[in-house]
Amino acid sequence: MRLCHPDGSTVHLAYCTNVHPAEDLDGILRQLARYAEPVRERLAAPSLGLGLWLAHDVARTLATDETGLTRLRRELTTRGLEVVTLNGFPYRGFHQPVVKRAVYRPDWSEPARLAYTLDLARVLAALLPDDAARGSVSTLPLGWRTGWTPERQDLARRGLDALAEGLAKLEARTGRTVRAGLEPEPGCVVSTVRDACARLTGLDTRRIGVCLDTCHLAVDFEDPRSSLRALAAAGLPVVKAQLSSALQADEPSDPAVRRALARFAEPRFLHQTRARPDGPHPARWDDLGQALRTPADQAGPGPWRVHFHVPVHAEPQPPLTATGPVLTDAVHALLRGPSPVTDHLEVETYTWSVLPERDRPADDQALITGIAAELTWTRGQLLAAGLRERSR
């Protein structure tokens, strides 16, 4: 979906397709017919933006396959879909039974991460609508913090410099601008916006910036407005924003709250958990299960925030809540200015299939309804922030 900022520029809103498990071209094309087009129809929208997730193998193939690219672009156009952004964080296997820390490999100290990201940029340059100002690719924040050494930091910096060079060559060849955004995530080398300002200075900011995920921002108790001021002061552009809500437990020592949290402790994804940093028991856990093993008398008065992307339009069932206020504040901070901080917005709730059973979509129609409800809610927030509808 496209909306118009008061300055006249276009703001693109998409939903991220990493919620769907396809990892080859035929599977991606089935996604478009099975989910994306029905979501667009449910919204009665003339066009729908997708933040495509392309796993390594299909990205590698499409980067050199004109026939496959033409087929994909034709299907997007026929179904009223458009792509200005790709999710380049998961490399492959994002819907394996257990993902956890495997999602951070290869990291930016490994050549495979550079090759994958450049493949994505080449594909995106071919998929961009003719009137799109630019494209964006989100990527992991260097790597997982454990075992990160100065040598790996140096390799990562060289990889990012090579990425900037590759993106510049792509623009010179195609006339299309594609930028990459590193996505701060709890537990990673670049865990917070503060880390980004410290570790990512000196990059080519014409090509590389940050992808601001509002769930990650909330988990680490970072304020959206002060975070955007810090990024601006560091000269780091917000290439893309992922609009998402984290799970929150206001009373983590309460047995009923712990039972409710336990329903979200599932085996596929990592659910980093943080206690309030200024509380009497500030703590950081790499997964929700570890946090729940902390004795209740050491949990503190709360809140705990959990890296579990919950649907943005609906609060979890009591006694849990979500960080919707952080998301709303971030939307207004990103858009209520003389010009938008970023023009690429992506709703990224990839966890529908691992929600507690009573909240999980029972079938395709329920998932389509849920995604459409998220986009409807988000569109309302964007309109409240001063944007207006824009047709293609």
Side-chain angles (χ1 to χ4, degrees):
M1 287 184 286
R2 299 182 177 200
L3 296 99
C4 184
H5 190 270
D7 74 350
S9 63
T10 297
V11 174
H12 298 268
L13 173 63
Y15 90 87
C16 187
T17 67
N18 63 358
V19 64
H20 309 309
E23 297 201 18
D24 59 28
L25 180 57
D26 287 340
I28 290 163
L29 296 178
R30 286 193 295 270
Q31 277 180 12
L32 305 184
R34 183 176 177 181
Y35 300 110
E37 186 177 16
V39 169
R40 182 187 62 76
E41 292 171 342
R42 185 68 59 91
L43 294 167
S47 68
L48 175 64
L50 301 182
L52 273 185
W53 173 58
L54 301 176
H56 165 264
D57 291 349
V58 68
R60 173 74 280 186
T61 298
L62 287 173
T64 57
D65 179 8
E66 290 292 335
T67 301
L69 268 176
T70 299
R71 186 180 172 203
L72 176 55
R73 180 159 184 165
R74 183 174 60 245
E75 284 293 307
L76 289 166
T77 302
T78 299
R79 300 186 185 281
L81 308 169
E82 67 176 20
V83 176
V84 302
T85 188
L86 299 180
N87 188 321
F89 199 126
Y91 186 77
R92 62 158 65 100
F94 194 54
H95 288 267
Q96 292 295 313
V98 179
V99 178
K100 298 294 184 181
R101 295 185 191 177
V103 77
Y104 307 111
R105 301 299 301 271
D107 61 39
W108 270 104
S109 71
E110 300 172 80
R113 177 58 62 172
L114 170 63
Y116 171 52
T117 309
L118 286 174
D119 283 340
L120 291 175
R122 295 182 188 106
V123 172
L124 182 55
L127 294 181
L128 282 174
D130 293 339
D131 60 348
R134 64 187 66 84
S136 62
V137 178
S138 49
T139 185
L140 79 164
L142 300 185
W144 186 251
R145 72 183 189 284
T146 304
W148 194 259
T149 63
E151 291 75 18
R152 290 176 70 184
Q153 177 69 27
D154 182 62
L155 288 169
R157 178 53 67 103
R158 293 183 189 182
L160 292 171
D161 288 341
L163 173 64
E165 181 179 351
L167 294 176
K169 290 179 178 177
L170 178 67
E171 182 172 357
R173 189 178 79 251
T174 66
R176 308 315 303 266
T177 299
V178 176
R179 299 188 297 172
L182 281 77
E183 181 184 333
E185 177 169 314
C188 292
V189 178
V190 178
S191 176
T192 63
V193 166
R194 294 184 300 276
D195 293 336
C197 293
R199 285 187 174 268
L200 302 182
T201 56
L203 293 172
D204 181 353
T205 55
R206 296 169 299 173
R207 314 287 174 189
I208 300 175
V210 300
C211 170
L212 193 70
D213 186 300
T214 59
C215 169
H216 303 172
L217 197 74
V219 170
D220 264 313
F221 292 84
E222 292 194 287
D223 173 70
R225 296 176 189 274
S226 59
S227 295
L228 290 178
R229 287 194 295 269
L231 289 169
L236 288 171
V238 180
V239 168
K240 168 181 174 179
Q242 289 177 324
L243 307 181
S244 53
S245 285
L247 187 65
Q248 179 163 308
D250 293 322
E251 299 292 340
S253 62
D254 186 313
V257 172
R258 290 191 159 225
R259 288 193 295 273
L261 279 173
R263 290 193 285 269
F264 288 84
E266 55 80 32
R268 180 176 297 163
F269 300 120
L270 203 62
H271 300 297
Q272 302 93 314
T273 303
R274 301 289 184 261
R276 198 180 74 220
D278 59 347
H281 299 286
R284 304 159 68 85
W285 299 275
D286 285 343
D287 210 351
L288 177 57
Q290 296 173 351
L292 290 172
R293 289 192 289 274
T294 302
D297 61 359
Q298 297 177 26
W304 281 3
R305 290 179 176 174
V306 183
H307 177 215
F308 195 117
H309 289 219
V310 293
V312 299
H313 68 292
E315 284 280 309
Q317 295 189 39
L320 302 178
T321 61
T323 59
V326 178
L327 168 55
T328 300
D329 194 28
V331 167
H332 284 256
L334 287 164
L335 300 173
R336 275 194 179 278
S339 60
V341 175
T342 182
D343 55 357
H344 289 182
L345 307 175
E346 178 184 77
V347 176
E348 197 215 8
T349 306
Y350 58 84
T351 47
W352 284 98
S353 65
V354 295
L355 287 168
E357 188 171 357
R358 64 187 182 185
D359 303 320
R360 196 177 304 161
D363 53 28
D364 285 354
Q365 287 305 308
L367 178 57
I368 289 163
T369 299
I371 293 170
E374 287 197 290
L375 289 167
T376 297
W377 181 92
T378 304
R379 180 169 56 186
Q381 295 299 312
L382 302 186
L383 296 174
L387 274 61
R388 64 180 187 273
E389 300 281 6
R390 165 174 278 174
S391 60
R392 290 196 62 171

